[in-house]
């Protein structure tokens, strides 16, 4: 039946089960055997905080922690990390309570347009997990694979230094939010009021 049936011209690989622990939760999804981790995380697992910047390994936007080590998910085959513990930017906060690195990026202007921010946050947290007293040179080295077109990097380094001080217990972290923000439109937005003379 012309126009009804889709006949694929290029055979696509069949999905096969892929499992890992993502942000502390065991996940199992179907993915092609040659799937790239970035695609699996975004399209199958739903962790859209993992950003696709260049897809070439040059921008760092897609950085995730794999067994504690920051890696570029666009250059990682999902099959290589089967069963691994993966942390994306969504896994840094504790529910509604932001991690110190997240609040410090906000308070120090480490994020402007925000597109690079998930990758920076994950790379920075990986550094702080290993070293809570990094020098500015060590911070610069830890984020050298992450590109930012907005901030000029100084604010990012300031933010990581500030978060390190919180990790060391020298500075109080920001007050955590007690609960997630409620949905302002739980039953959907109301119909807008139209000015007189306008048809609905
Ligand atoms: S999207 Fe992976 S490094 Fe740019
Ligand atoms: S905040 Fe815009 S690219 Fe970094």
């Amino acid at each position: 039946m012309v126009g009804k049936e889709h006949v694929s011209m290029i055979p696509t690989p069949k999905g096969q089960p892929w499992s890992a622990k993502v942000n502390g939760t065991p996940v199992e999804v179907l993915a092609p055997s040659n799937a790239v981790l970035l695609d699996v995380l975004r399209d199958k697992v739903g962790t859209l905080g993992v950003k696709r910047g260049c897809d070439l390994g040059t921008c760092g936007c897609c950085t995730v922690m794999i067994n504690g080590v920051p890696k570029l998910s666009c250059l990682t085959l999902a099959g290589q990390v089967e069963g691994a513990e993966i942390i994306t930017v969504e896994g840094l906060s504790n529910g509604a309570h932001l991690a110190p690195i997240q609040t410090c990026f906000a308070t120090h202007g480490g994020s402007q347009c925000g597109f690079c921010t998930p990758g920076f946050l994950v790379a920075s947290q990986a550094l702080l997990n290993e070293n809570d007293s990094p020098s500015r040179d060590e911070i610069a080295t830890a984020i050298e694979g992450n590109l930012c077109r907005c901030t000029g990097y100084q604010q990012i380094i300031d933010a990581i230094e500030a978060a390190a001080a919180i990790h060391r217990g020298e500075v109080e972290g920001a007050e955590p939010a007690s609960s997630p923000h409620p949905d302002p439109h739980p039953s959907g937005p109301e119909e807008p009021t139209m000015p007189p003379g306008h048809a609905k």
Side-chain angles (χ1 to χ4, degrees), residues 38 51-62 72-75:
L38 172 60
K51 298 298 177 217
R52 184 192 309 280
C54 63
D55 235 356
L56 293 169
T58 57
C59 75
C61 290
C62 64
L72 300 176
S73 60
C74 75
L75 293 188

Side-chain angles (χ1 to χ4, degrees), residues 2 5 16 55 79 95 98 109 113 138 191 199-200:
V2 177
E5 261 178 336
Q16 59 186 47
D55 235 356
L98 293 181
C113 82
E138 286 172 325
E191 204 171 326
K200 272 198 171 182

